[in-house]
Amino acid sequence: EGGVNLITQLKHTFFQTSFLFMGWLIVVIELFCPHLEMTPSYLWHLLLIAIIGGSVFGVIYPYIWNYTTWGALRNIGCTTLINFGALLGGLGLFSSKILKMVLPFWWEILILTLILHILTFYYYRNYQNQKLIQQLNAPHSRN
């Protein structure tokens, strides 16, 4: 039962996040590339970017951050590398020209991604701990 609930929840967040990614891509294209020619193959690229985003932020992140029992180092390392790979893959699908401009700075992007994951991990863990403390200290209702 717990596994089915987990799969249902991750499936829901995958579709929700993929949909949000597709909307975000459309807004970015409208604002920064209004004259972009939308060929059917490019629409498939956008769909793949949305699927990558939905997979990373709707499935992998929630699973690693909420359900694994790994230590902080492994969580941060895995999510950093997955995010970095997804970023490069998404950029390549969006525009090979932009990817070629960004690729010389891959090391700096990886370090920035690592720093942001460290900060996010500790902020999120602190938030979760505070929430758990409130739940444990809340008066229990007696029926």
Side-chain angles (χ1 to χ4, degrees):
E1 182 181 323
V4 173
N5 188 26
L6 169 65
I7 291 170
T8 303
Q9 182 181 1
L10 292 177
K11 186 172 31 171
H12 175 74
T13 56
F14 166 77
F15 284 112
Q16 186 177 27
T17 308
S18 295
F19 180 75
L20 288 172
F21 250 88
M22 189 56 109
W24 176 78
L25 284 169
I26 291 168
V27 169
V28 167
I29 290 170
E30 276 295 314
L31 290 175
F32 299 106
C33 313
H35 302 294
L36 183 68
E37 184 180 332
M38 288 289 188
T39 63
S41 65
Y42 193 72
L43 291 175
W44 282 109
H45 285 211
L46 295 181
L47 181 63
L48 284 173
I49 294 169
I51 289 171
I52 290 170
S55 298
V56 170
F57 295 105
V59 177
I60 296 171
Y61 272 37
Y63 181 76
I64 288 176
W65 294 73
N66 296 322
Y67 297 104
T68 63
T69 55
W70 296 343
L73 204 55
R74 185 176 283 173
N75 275 7
I76 292 168
C78 284
T79 53
T80 297
L81 292 175
I82 289 167
N83 185 283
F84 183 70
L87 171 70
L88 293 181
L91 269 177
L93 287 167
F94 187 76
S95 168
S96 59
K97 184 186 280 188
I98 293 175
L99 179 62
K100 287 176 187 172
M101 280 180 10
V102 168
L103 216 47
F105 305 100
W106 73 271
W107 186 247
E108 292 88 345
I109 295 169
L110 182 61
I111 290 173
L112 179 62
T113 304
L114 176 63
I115 291 169
L116 291 173
H117 276 91
I118 291 169
L119 293 173
T120 304
F121 177 82
Y122 286 107
Y123 172 79
Y124 185 68
R125 284 292 181 227
N126 185 44
Y127 170 76
Q128 281 185 324
N129 288 340
Q130 293 302 317
K131 208 163 77 170
L132 185 60
I133 289 170
Q134 288 175 354
Q135 286 175 351
L136 292 173
N137 288 331
H140 297 287
S141 61
R142 297 182 186 179
N143 295 334

